[in-house]
Amino acid sequence: MAIESYHFDFMLEAIREAETSIAQGGLPIGAVLTRDNKIIARGHNNRVQENNPILHGEMSCLREAGAISFHDTVMYTTLSPCSMCAGALGLFKVKLVVIGESVTFEGSKDILDKFGIPWIDLADDRSITMMKNWRSIPANERLWQGDIGN
Amino acid sequence: MAIESYHFDFMLEAIREAETSIAQGGLPIGAVLTRDNKIIARGHNNRVQENNPILHGEMSCLREAGAISFHDTVMYTTLSPCSMCAGALGLFKVKLVVIGESVTFEGSKDILDKFGIPWIDLADDRSITMMKNWRSIPANERLWQGDIGN
């Protein structure tokens, strides 16, 4: 699938969500949801902020979108979706998932594949560097391990 | 794995959560989480109540538990977990998943299997009948289809 330049623009918006989370003491993972190339919902990881383990970036974004049909939406996420988030995106049948990076975390693209959900991995340096810098602080690394159930 | 009688007792508590949701106009799916055979969190589907697509029964229950380690917990759910919920239970590495029924919805036990999470399906008549009766009303059937992304 072609990597259109606007995918990088929407990924920048997802990165801004992640930066907001960092400023709140949370994990640097953000997401935006688009329909017809317009943002209809935004979100970032809120595990720390709300003491809520299910609020990964994609999940916060789905929450903000509300109980709609997701069939014509595209999810942008700075980090490859875990099994919970990939399972949600598969169940709700989003049209496309655009991933910032899979270097930090491989995630569960196999679940997207099983549901026939197309995905693009931008291997975006901005996303990779953001996670790497944040995880270099030991307390943050512990937050990250908790976020993925370790 | 042996089906201990106390599994049916905790399933009754999950059914009570589902009944609470019905009384609120929501979907009849409930869950409880135990540690050392004591309930530490309860939840039910809140899609309708909070206009929030991620709040399946299991997810509401995980939310109530908070950002803890789930490694020594058992999830009881009246309905076989979907890909989102199975993905969450796999990521967070619960010790066991006890399922009320899979007749209404097969769910994604394959995701639990992939993560090595043991599960028991009680094929519990109380859970089956509850969903069947509720879905016999057309407006409820539409809510159910939305709940699983259709």
Side-chain angles (χ1 to χ4, degrees), chain A residues 47 51-56 58-60 62-63 65-71 82-88 90-93 105 107-108 110-111 114-115 146-150, chain B residues 47 51-56 58-60 62-63 65-71 82-88 90-93 105 107-108 110-111 114-115 146-150:
Chain A
R47 176 184 178 83
N51 184 37
N52 185 340
I54 69 171
L55 287 179
H56 283 188
E58 301 91 322
M59 305 296 278
S60 290
L62 292 171
R63 173 176 70 167
I68 62 172
S69 169
F70 291 96
H71 299 182
C82 77
S83 51
M84 170 176 67
C85 296
L91 183 73
F92 297 139
K93 304 173 191 64
F105 183 65
S108 292
D110 59 312
I111 294 177
K114 194 190 140 203
F115 279 91
D147 196 57
I148 51 172
N150 293 332
Chain B
R47 175 184 178 84
N51 184 36
N52 185 340
I54 70 171
L55 287 180
H56 283 189
E58 302 91 321
M59 305 295 278
S60 290
L62 292 171
R63 174 176 70 168
I68 62 172
S69 169
F70 292 96
H71 299 182
C82 76
S83 51
M84 171 176 67
C85 296
L91 183 74
F92 296 139
K93 304 171 190 67
F105 182 65
S108 292
D110 59 311
I111 294 176
K114 194 190 141 205
F115 279 92
D147 197 57
I148 52 171
N150 294 331

Side-chain angles (χ1 to χ4, degrees), chain B residues 1 3 6-8 10-11 14 32 74-79 81 96-101 118-122:
Chain B
M1 188 169 295
I3 301 187
Y6 65 81
H7 288 324
F8 287 93
F10 287 124
M11 190 56 65
V32 296
V74 177
M75 176 65 79
Y76 293 81
T77 173
T78 58
L79 186 63
L96 172 68
V97 179
V98 182
I99 297 166
E101 62 113 340
W119 53 267
I120 297 170
D121 187 341
L122 298 181

Side-chain angles (χ1 to χ4, degrees), chain B residues 4-74:
Chain B
E4 309 285 353
S5 66
Y6 65 81
H7 288 324
F8 287 93
D9 299 335
F10 287 124
M11 190 56 65
L12 179 58
E13 293 301 315
I15 291 171
R16 285 182 174 146
E17 283 294 318
E19 289 171 342
T20 297
S21 183
I22 294 176
Q24 296 169 344
L27 288 110
I29 306 159
V32 296
L33 190 74
T34 68
R35 180 187 284 137
D36 298 330
N37 284 342
K38 292 189 186 99
I39 293 173
I40 61 166
R42 313 174 63 99
H44 54 70
N45 191 301
N46 264 310
R47 175 184 178 84
V48 173
Q49 293 93 323
E50 299 186 35
N51 184 36
N52 185 340
I54 70 171
L55 287 180
H56 283 189
E58 302 91 321
M59 305 295 278
S60 290
C61 191
L62 292 171
R63 174 176 70 168
E64 190 187 289
I68 62 172
S69 169
F70 292 96
H71 299 182
D72 58 352
T73 66
V74 177

